[in-house]
Amino acid sequence: MDSENKKSMPTGEKKEVIFQGISGAPGICIGKAYMVGREGVDVIPQYTISQDQKTREITRFKTAVRTAKNELLEIIEATPEALKEHIQILETHLVLFKDKMLYGRTLEAIERENVNAEWALKNVVAEVRAMFQDIEDPYLQGRSTDIVHVSDRIMRNLVGAKEESISSISKRVILVASDISPAQTSQIQLEWVMGFVTDHGGTASHTSIIARTLGIPCVLGLGDATSSLHNDDIIIVDGIAGRVIVHPEDNTLLLYEEKKRRFEEHRASISRSSHLPAISADGMEFQVLGNIELAEEVVSVRDHGGNGIGLLRTEFLYLSRNNFPGETELFEQYREVLELMAPAPVTFRTLDINGDKAISYTLTPEEANPALGLRAIRFCLKKKEVFKTQLRAILRAAAYGNAQIMFPMISCLEEVREARKLLRACAKELAGEEKRHNPEIPVGIMIEVPSAVVMADVLAREVDFFSIGTNDLVQYLLAIDRGNPQVAHLYNSLNPAVLRMLKRIVDEADKAGISVAMCGEMAGDPFHLPVLMGLGIRELSMNPQSIPAIKDMIRNMEGHECRLFTESLLEKSQTQEVMDAISLKYGKFMQTDFV
């Protein structure tokens, strides 16, 4: 904390309040709150317009869009060097200014409903929010806010409201807002901004990604907590635990000053050694890789010591647009990732859309239970031309780096064989067209459906590797909807049934002589690491920021000891027994409180 804040800090004047949110980026900061966007444009006028006034309203709307677009272009031009790699996010917003879902629907609403531009835009955005409200996937939740951010900028121009410029901040503060747009986060100057907290957003939102890139603490998903904060309130942002403390008492301040010091010492220590191999104390070598969505995150994987990319989610290029991307666009993006990461491997997960990753232009019927419907490999095998476009792009890009491909949500042998047949057909087409490509790309599947576990022995003979997606696999195995607060507490990756299932996957992969990796959230959690090492999973893929801590922990543990320990866990019948045993045996390796 800055000395200037220490001097003016009120102690005992107001009651300490603690808000629990989501950790967007780890770290701790203590300082004064700086409220962003408190005024907003929530009060929107509504009035009926005549036929003669429609042209005027349409012109007003188009002018507001044009002005907003020019404002964003200026922000892109002025983006600090530290965030240049994230410009693609803002360029996506530029495309959205003319997106049919936002621009086209608003013009139609003015014409059809005889209302002013502000009201038409407000109603269209409300419809868009409703479309996305049931999406469970945090990555898609983050992307769905893009339209809202763009519409806010247009609305400000329509009503004449001025947006607060974060770039003009000239004192050490912690940003507090209902939400912070990518355009706003791109203006952050590390000299003045220590961290930020928001009511909305999640771990996969652009806000969170940028916070991790900048290395500043961030807590998101606070609900409406920020409405009770004011400028210059003293707050503590605990990005490790996802906690915000307002009006901290003296003893809390002392505790967190020490916690902050220990965390920064720990982070500096593991960062210095993040480039070292992940070799256990008894000589077992592990590959620790990164999960990414955006090409810009390759830098983060490399900076944090990642051995490659174990999961490249390819959905981003299919979102926030009104048609499917073409082969050339996909090829150029994939090639960029491979060249940036070379010679390290990059594993492309083929398109996993629909279900909770629906896009508006697919024209597929609405499903009562999309999580179990036409999604991932099922969608791709039904929309073969869309799938082949992606497969061709991956094969072409594979000539420029170390690429692997894996198919998501495989539930049976037939799906694997049909997908591989299409891949071979694409390679044959490219050869006939004399286009440079790599037809020998390794092919794997994601194990995230219980039926794939049951058939693991058969599936292992058809592919080059398994990658375990624990997020869906645990949910499907336990029949628990993680998004349902009534049962979410029952979701636990250390359930004995999950451990036995993971052992079967590893055993069948070993018998077939293929590698097995894990790319679900379980892979990046230090509490799970002894179990994963004990099961014999040698490749772990995770959020890039988790890589240094996991590599450091691997170097301090013995693989053989983990294996014996995990064998004892497989005999246990209750989740709590498993968790207690891990805490007792390996708690000393999991420094999370830093006090």
Side-chain angles (χ1 to χ4, degrees), residues 134-135 352-359 367 369-376:
D134 294 327
I135 292 179
D352 186 359
I353 55 175
N354 277 26
D356 60 354
K357 301 179 176 69
I359 53 178
E367 298 178 293
N369 194 346
L372 301 179
L374 187 66
R375 54 167 292 202

Side-chain angles (χ1 to χ4, degrees), residues 128-177:
V128 171
R129 285 181 183 272
M131 287 173 59
F132 284 102
Q133 68 181 0
D134 294 327
I135 292 179
E136 179 186 328
D137 187 271
Y139 166 64
L140 267 294
Q141 288 173 350
R143 304 295 84 81
S144 70
T145 60
D146 289 342
I147 282 182
V148 176
H149 288 312
V150 168
S151 68
D152 284 347
R153 185 168 291 278
I154 297 171
M155 187 70 79
R156 286 180 180 277
N157 282 287
L158 280 172
V159 303
K162 186 177 180 181
E163 182 181 43
E164 192 168 8
S165 175
I166 290 176
S167 62
S168 66
I169 295 173
S170 59
K171 59 182 180 179
R172 292 282 284 173
V173 295
I174 297 169
L175 300 184
V176 178

Side-chain angles (χ1 to χ4, degrees), residues 205-239:
S205 66
H206 293 320
T207 305
S208 180
I209 291 170
I210 291 177
R212 292 193 295 267
T213 299
L214 294 173
I216 59 177
C218 169
V219 174
L220 313 171
L222 288 167
D224 63 351
T226 66
S227 63
S228 62
L229 272 65
H230 304 88
N231 274 324
D232 293 333
D233 279 349
I234 298 301
I235 62 174
I236 297 172
V237 179
D238 182 350

Side-chain angles (χ1 to χ4, degrees), residues 251-268:
N251 61 338
T252 305
L253 285 169
L254 291 172
L255 178 71
Y256 270 89
E257 285 282 13
E258 178 63 13
K259 188 173 183 179
K260 180 175 183 288
R261 184 188 66 78
R262 287 180 176 271
F263 172 78
E264 290 175 353
E265 285 181 355
H266 175 72
R267 180 159 63 177

Side-chain angles (χ1 to χ4, degrees), residues 5 43 56 138 167 246 249 372 387 445 485 510 554 577 584:
N5 285 334
V43 181
R56 183 197 68 186
S167 62
V246 185
E249 297 174 355
L372 301 179
F387 193 29
I445 60 173
D510 286 345
I554 288 172
E577 290 178 334
L584 183 64

Side-chain angles (χ1 to χ4, degrees), residues 546-557:
S546 300
I547 292 172
I550 293 296
K551 292 182 75 174
D552 179 73
M553 196 168 164
I554 288 172
R555 288 193 288 267
N556 284 286
M557 296 195 302

